[in-house]
Amino acid sequence: MADARFRTWLCVILSIQILLKSDAFNVGITYVQNAVAKGGVCLDGSPPAYHFDKGFGAGANNWLVHFEGGGWCNNVTTCLDRRDTRLGSSKHMVKEVVFSGLLHNKQKFNPDFYNWNRIKVRYCDGASFTGDVEAVDPATNLHFRGARAFVAIIEDLLSKGMSKAQNAILSGCSAGGLTSILHCDRFRALVPASAKVKCLADAGYFINAKDVAGTPHIETFYSEVVATHGSAKNLPTSCTSKLRPGLCFFPQNVAQQIQTPFFLINAAYDSWQIKNILAPGVADPHGTWHSCKLDINKCSPNQLEIMQDFRLQFLSALNGVGKSPSRGMFIDSCYAHCQSEMQETWLRNDSPALAKTSIAKAVGDWYYDRSPFQKIDCAYPCNPTCHNRIFDPNGHPEV
């Protein structure tokens, strides 16, 4: 009996492994050693790193550079907490990461970009690659050099063939999605002028909203990030000439001035934003929002009403994007965060859809100018195709 049960479980495990292998594959790490001499380093002074799967066939001269997410650090204490982890040091990064979704190399899973050169850039500076402080305090050995690291990474990729790019996309998820927004025009300037260049931000449209206690928590936090990392000089001058630098970390204050075409993938009830902007721990000392943040199905009617108001604030913040067909958007009503990196949400039979269109098709149609795409979903819980996140109560620390 026990042997039969063991064999059954073994078959299940093997089946899952086969399924996972069909949906994803591992890619090894590359360290940008020459970035160190340029001062473009991680928080601990180690070189930045990326994972590179080479393009082939008709996609050999096409490049998709995707930046990883991972929040931010807003002062010496929180940056020290990151310094000796994968989010602050390439010494602590795993040697291989999984590529799936928009990074997949099979046409079935990624029809428009499968044969491109696909790069996943690891996140290790703590400020969406915007920081640039020359001085390094020997007591902490903290390096705030994300902006230099960004340029060093792009220059390294140019030397490996991106200088011949015909098509190029700068993309990212979460804090990496913010990187793709803030650096979109800079990327355009670094890539050959003859290339077709666009940007893609997945879950990177963080909004300036007050928390449930009525406090501007995220506005204060972003101002501290910008001040700690010396980011002001690397934020769009079209914004910093009018507003305080910390406000120019918010996409709603810079999107209108971006010259390069860009596409936004975002949940109107972005799970990270609900957990960290709307209801951060400091605004919810009694943990009233704890269960709701882990699973939207556990939210009370009053909490859902507050989240519906947050959605309206999010949609209002999108107004600056405009209606130009060069700007695309896929704004669903899911409780989710980062939908391009996972196969189940990028492209699968049951992946999220707007107007019967998957994220993968919407992005591909927009990039190749087959058709524009600007769709905003109806309010939760109207979309049955959503993959709403359910979180582990022991994970996901808040800002």
Side-chain angles (χ1 to χ4, degrees):
M1 182 73 175
D3 285 347
R5 194 175 294 129
F6 175 76
R7 282 197 296 273
T8 301
W9 276 110
L10 190 61
C11 287
V12 170
I13 291 166
L14 288 172
S15 298
I16 290 170
Q17 286 179 332
I18 290 167
L19 179 65
L20 288 173
K21 282 179 181 173
S22 68
D23 279 7
F25 62 103
N26 290 325
V27 177
I29 198 165
T30 298
Y31 301 99
V32 189
Q33 298 290 356
N34 62 8
V36 177
K38 301 173 183 178
V41 293
C42 299
L43 284 172
D44 72 334
S46 60
Y50 57 74
H51 302 257
F52 181 6
D53 192 47
K54 200 165 174 55
F56 55 92
N61 288 321
N62 300 335
W63 294 72
L64 192 157
V65 185
H66 183 79
F67 279 73
E68 178 182 46
W72 308 270
C73 58
N74 62 324
N75 55 44
V76 168
T77 302
T78 56
C79 291
L80 279 174
D81 287 342
R82 294 167 77 97
R83 187 193 63 190
D84 299 324
T85 73
R86 66 177 179 84
L87 291 172
S89 171
S90 59
K91 296 174 186 173
H92 296 276
M93 294 173 183
V94 293
K95 299 296 187 284
E96 290 187 336
V97 297
V98 170
F99 272 27
S100 64
L102 88 165
L103 296 173
H104 211 295
N105 66 351
K106 288 192 170 58
Q107 190 171 10
K108 173 184 175 184
F109 299 115
N110 189 22
D112 285 305
F113 311 111
Y114 73 98
N115 58 359
W116 286 37
N117 295 281
R118 286 150 288 105
I119 296 95
K120 182 170 187 174
V121 180
R122 303 304 297 276
Y123 182 35
C124 68
D125 77 296
S128 292
F129 290 90
T130 60
D132 192 356
V133 176
E134 181 64 34
V136 177
D137 184 344
T140 62
N141 193 40
L142 283 172
H143 296 69
F144 301 118
R145 303 280 186 75
R148 296 190 208 182
F150 177 86
V151 173
I153 290 161
I154 301 305
E155 287 176 348
D156 192 60
L157 294 172
L158 288 168
S159 74
K160 291 179 176 175
M162 196 164 69
S163 60
K164 298 184 181 70
Q166 294 170 350
N167 292 284
I169 293 175
L170 175 67
S171 69
C173 149
S174 192
L178 182 58
T179 299
S180 69
I181 292 169
L182 297 177
H183 286 288
C184 185
D185 287 338
R186 186 173 288 116
F187 180 73
R188 163 70 277 185
L190 290 166
V191 171
S194 58
K196 177 177 182 172
V197 178
K198 297 187 179 185
C199 302
L200 170 66
D202 179 8
Y205 207 88
F206 299 93
I207 69 166
N208 188 4
K210 289 182 177 177
D211 61 30
V212 290
T215 305
H217 174 70
I218 192 66
E219 183 179 312
T220 301
F221 182 82
Y222 272 0
S223 291
E224 291 168 353
V225 171
V226 169
T228 297
H229 291 262
S231 301
K233 56 183 168 289
N234 296 306
L235 298 174
T237 53
S238 57
C239 178
T240 55
S241 61
K242 301 172 193 167
L243 300 173
R244 286 186 290 107
L247 293 173
C248 299
F249 218 61
F250 288 102
Q252 69 200 77
N253 294 328
V254 299
Q256 199 164 10
Q257 306 305 322
I258 296 172
Q259 301 300 304
T260 309
F262 65 88
F263 193 104
L264 304 174
I265 303 167
N266 231 104
Y269 310 87
D270 182 283
S271 56
W272 191 95
Q273 296 197 50
I274 297 296
K275 291 162 69 179
N276 297 284
I277 295 180
L278 179 63
V282 292
D284 181 34
H286 302 295
T288 310
W289 281 79
H290 182 71
S291 295
C292 173
K293 292 190 292 184
L294 295 176
D295 182 351
I296 195 170
N297 293 308
K298 295 181 179 175
C299 297
S300 70
N302 181 55
Q303 287 169 333
L304 286 173
E305 192 176 323
I306 292 168
M307 288 166 68
Q308 297 294 10
D309 181 65
F310 182 85
R311 170 182 176 268
L312 294 177
Q313 290 183 68
F314 183 86
L315 298 185
S316 176
L318 284 174
N319 286 340
V321 173
K323 297 296 181 186
S324 165
S326 69
R327 273 90 184 274
M329 63 173 76
F330 187 107
I331 311 298
D332 58 33
S333 61
C334 309
Y335 188 63
H337 185 67
C338 290
Q339 299 177 89
S340 65
E341 295 178 344
M342 295 190 300
Q343 200 61 50
E344 65 180 88
T345 45
W346 173 248
L347 180 62
R348 212 169 65 178
N349 291 338
D350 63 342
S351 59
L354 292 181
K356 298 182 179 179
T357 305
S358 68
I359 294 172
K361 187 174 190 317
V363 172
D365 285 350
W366 164 82
Y367 181 81
Y368 282 110
D369 302 311
R370 294 190 292 253
S371 63
F373 196 93
Q374 285 194 348
K375 303 290 183 191
I376 296 174
D377 210 350
C378 45
Y380 173 87
C382 72
N383 192 336
T385 68
C386 279
H387 290 231
N388 293 322
R389 296 285 302 273
I390 297 174
F391 293 95
D392 176 359
N394 299 314
H396 304 276
E398 298 167 350
V399 298

